[in-house]
Each structure stands twice: as structure tokens, then as C-alpha cells.
Amino acid sequence: GQQLNQSPQSMFIQEGEDVSMNCTSSSIFNTWLWYKQDPGEGPVLLIALYKAGELTSNGRLTAQFGITRKDSFLNISASIPSDVGIYFCVSGTASKLTFGTGTRLQVTL
Amino acid sequence: DTGVSQDPRHKITKRGQNVTFRCDPISEHNRLYWYRQTLGQGPEFLTYFQNEAQLEKSRLLSDRFSAERPKGSFSTLEIQRTEQGDSAMYLCASSYRPIRSGTDTQYFGPGTRLTVL
């Protein structure tokens, strides 16, 4: 089945640093979504991308939909402690989402 | 609070017992989804409804699982004869899918964490 591979799997960064993570797939997708999940909570939508090449920002977050439609990246600028969590890239059909393997982010003071 | 709500948030049960979870979607959303998430993994799709019709079920949804959305609003997920392997977070999501749109955005609830002893 479809698989979305995220890298890195986990990262420790210091507060104030910029963060970059990416997601690749062997399949072409028409939508890329980035969700964040805090421990014991459901995923929360951060950014949605609908067009190849699209670059979208949401505050300190910026995400891009790769030109090949097989990848996406997410950047977080000037990280803060509340950025801690697991970040999932997500894609699939309109009715069924497929979640990536996740990138666990930990921010140290 | 106008988000997706789930009840209960936590459930501990003994193997062999039946459990039922409830999801209340965002009120104007016509689609409702169930996912299962095990520790260290991303959520996996189980099933979804458009209004009251169940349109797709994953192979993960064994015969012991049944989901309903009788009036096109809230939904229930029942697991019969629970097994230890059913221990997971069960997540509900909802979305609004316009008739002539190819995309919709799913909003997730906080989940129900099930522990089967």
C-alpha cells in the first residue's frame, strides 16, 4: 500500500533554532497535509497544500508541495518549547488519509 | 467548544468484554471517519461515513468491529469480544465535503484510549 516516509524520525533542537523535515512517497498525490500531534491528543491540522509547487505559510510554519507531487517539506522557524510533538505528513484520497511515519520533535531550552 | 468530541477519553476493559465509543463531529460536517493509532505509529484509517451511509471499510476493521452513524450526526464504534491487540487510541475525524469539490479537510477529535487487560 501507500507509504509516506518522513525524515528525520526524531530531532532534538534548541529553542530559537529553525527546523526542517520532509516527507517522500513512491506515489503521486494531489494533496499534502501536515498535522501535529501532542501526547494523548488527536492530530491537529497545520497546513494544507493542494497544488504542485505550492508554498504556504502559517505563522512560523512553511510547507511546500513538491513539483514531482511525490514529496513535501515543512519548516518551522525560531522554534519554541510548545513546538514539541509529533509531526505527520498526510496524504491519500479525499476519503481516506494515509499518515506518514512521523517526525518527533523535542525542543530544549 | 465547536470541535470534534469523543467519549470516553479513556477506557480500560478486560479481554472478552464489549466496548462502545462515541464521536460527535463538528455540527455542519457531513463526513465522519474512524482511525486507530497504536503506540509509535501514525493513525490508520478504519472506516468513514457520508451522512448516515458507511461508504468504505478498511481490512483492519474485523468482524468484531462495527460502526454506525444512524442519523448522520454522531457515530458509535463498537468492539465486541475485545482482545489485547485492540489496545490503541481510537480517533474520530469529521469534514465537510461539498458536492463538487475534490478535497476536504479532516478535523480530529482528542481520541479514546482503549486498554484491554
Side-chain angles (χ1 to χ4, degrees):
Chain A
Q2 298 168 347
Q3 188 162 355
L4 303 177
N5 297 306
Q6 291 186 241
S7 66
Q9 279 189 322
S10 64
M11 52 199 313
F12 285 84
I13 60 166
Q14 288 195 324
E15 184 178 5
E17 287 185 350
D18 296 343
V19 175
S20 184
M21 60 189 78
N22 65 63
C23 181
T24 59
S25 171
S26 56
S27 303
I28 290 175
F29 291 112
N30 294 320
T31 302
W32 285 92
L33 308 171
W34 285 91
Y35 280 82
K36 181 192 176 206
Q37 187 173 29
D38 292 331
E41 300 292 332
V44 174
L45 180 67
L46 299 175
I47 290 182
L49 301 160
Y50 299 111
K51 193 187 293 186
E54 180 181 356
L55 184 72
T56 297
S57 293
N58 178 9
R60 294 178 297 107
L61 277 59
T62 302
Q64 186 158 28
F65 191 149
I67 286 290
T68 65
R69 296 197 287 156
K70 290 184 177 182
D71 61 346
S72 177
F73 74 75
L74 175 70
N75 286 345
I76 305 173
S77 62
S79 58
I80 59 178
S82 62
D83 290 334
V84 165
I86 302 177
Y87 291 79
F88 290 104
C89 67
V90 182
S91 195
T93 67
S95 58
K96 184 169 72 176
L97 298 182
T98 298
F99 280 71
T101 50
T103 293
R104 181 181 296 273
L105 178 64
Q106 302 198 48
V107 180
T108 57
L109 298 175
Chain B
D1 185 8
T2 56
V4 178
S5 62
Q6 294 187 246
D7 183 68
R9 291 293 306 275
H10 304 273
K11 178 71 176 178
I12 300 174
T13 190
K14 292 183 179 179
R15 191 175 53 185
Q17 298 294 305
N18 299 343
V19 294
T20 300
F21 311 139
R22 176 179 169 124
C23 171
D24 287 90
I26 295 171
S27 59
E28 64 269 24
H29 284 185
N30 55 0
R31 287 194 165 192
L32 186 148
Y33 310 79
W34 286 99
Y35 291 80
R36 182 175 72 182
Q37 185 177 24
T38 53
L39 204 60
Q41 303 294 318
E44 295 174 291
F45 171 82
L46 291 179
T47 188
Y48 91 97
F49 293 83
Q50 175 143 329
N51 300 314
E52 64 275 9
Q54 188 172 17
L55 296 187
E56 188 171 346
K57 292 195 287 188
S58 160
R59 286 174 297 176
L60 294 174
L61 212 65
S62 76
D63 291 345
R64 296 183 296 105
F65 288 67
S66 62
E68 294 182 345
R69 194 183 185 199
K71 296 180 182 178
S73 56
F74 73 91
S75 175
T76 58
L77 178 68
E78 180 183 17
I79 309 174
Q80 295 183 326
R81 305 181 302 283
T82 53
E83 301 172 357
Q84 287 184 322
D86 295 332
S87 296
M89 174 84 91
Y90 289 85
L91 292 161
C92 175
S94 72
S95 70
Y96 175 70
R97 176 90 186 273
I99 294 173
R100 293 183 179 178
S101 169
T103 58
D104 57 345
T105 300
Q106 296 183 26
Y107 296 88
F108 284 80
T112 295
R113 180 167 295 285
L114 173 66
T115 302
V116 182
L117 302 176

